[in-house]
Amino acid sequence: MPTIVVDVMPKAELLDPQGKAVSGAFSRLGVSDFTSVRIGKRFELTVDGEVTEEVLAEAKRVADEILSNSVIEDVVGIEVVA
Amino acid sequence: MPTIVVDVMPKAELLDPQGKAVSGAFSRLGVSDFTSVRIGKRFELTVDGEVTEEVLAEAKRVADEILSNSVIEDVVGIEVVA
């Protein structure tokens, strides 16, 4: 069944305490290849049937209105996977 | 600066209470296009410099050992974005 993946990330100008915590853990564990870490959410919406233009438009709508909080988060991607 | 994106999802055989909650919200709000919702995490690791084979290997290692809990989660994707 096709799946629509919606990616939501904290806005770039906001602190991301969870990401900072992982970044701190990296330092303590000697992992030095990554200068920063940000953590967001990945939603997998399963579609029963075909992904029509309407279904995709509905996915965009719920991504903006239900799955993300536009005050603190951005929807950074919506894509259909097989 | 290049970014490595690591996607982590709850294992398919496990319940995902957060996803179920969103799915329930969809029903109550009259959104009927999606039969199920699963929620995972998206990590963005910023790399200072080039993404070499070694950096990518290190990203795979931290994805498996630090960013995900292999008992309940799967690393479903590691990709480099510009």
Side-chain angles (χ1 to χ4, degrees):
Chain A
M1 276 198 287
T3 299
I4 298 175
V5 174
V6 176
D7 290 315
V8 173
M9 294 299 292
K11 278 186 192 289
E13 64 269 27
L14 293 187
L15 277 177
D16 170 17
Q18 239 191 325
K20 281 261 182 285
V22 170
S23 205
F26 279 178
S27 306
R28 288 193 301 281
L29 295 167
V31 177
S32 57
D33 288 329
F34 313 112
T35 52
S36 86
V37 181
R38 293 185 74 79
I39 306 180
K41 278 177 273 190
R42 175 188 158 99
F43 298 84
E44 290 185 355
L45 313 176
T46 308
V47 179
D48 189 9
E50 240 185 302
V51 179
T52 59
E53 282 299 309
E54 289 77 42
V55 172
L56 209 51
E58 181 75 332
K60 287 205 172 95
R61 194 181 67 80
V62 300
D64 289 334
E65 296 180 8
I66 303 176
L67 303 180
S68 68
N69 175 352
S70 64
V71 177
I72 56 169
E73 293 168 325
D74 286 322
V75 176
V76 297
I78 297 183
E79 61 169 341
V80 181
V81 296
Chain B
M1 278 199 285
T3 299
I4 299 175
V5 174
V6 176
D7 290 316
V8 173
M9 295 298 294
K11 278 186 191 290
E13 64 269 27
L14 293 186
L15 275 177
D16 170 17
Q18 240 192 325
K20 282 260 181 286
V22 170
S23 205
F26 280 177
S27 306
R28 288 192 302 279
L29 295 166
V31 176
S32 57
D33 288 329
F34 314 112
T35 52
S36 86
V37 181
R38 293 184 77 78
I39 306 180
K41 278 176 274 188
R42 174 189 160 96
F43 298 85
E44 290 185 356
L45 312 177
T46 307
V47 178
D48 189 9
E50 241 186 302
V51 179
T52 59
E53 283 300 310
E54 289 77 44
V55 172
L56 210 52
E58 181 76 333
K60 285 202 173 96
R61 194 182 66 80
V62 301
D64 288 335
E65 296 179 9
I66 303 176
L67 303 179
S68 67
N69 175 351
S70 63
V71 177
I72 57 170
E73 293 168 327
D74 286 322
V75 177
V76 298
I78 298 184
E79 60 169 341
V80 181
V81 297

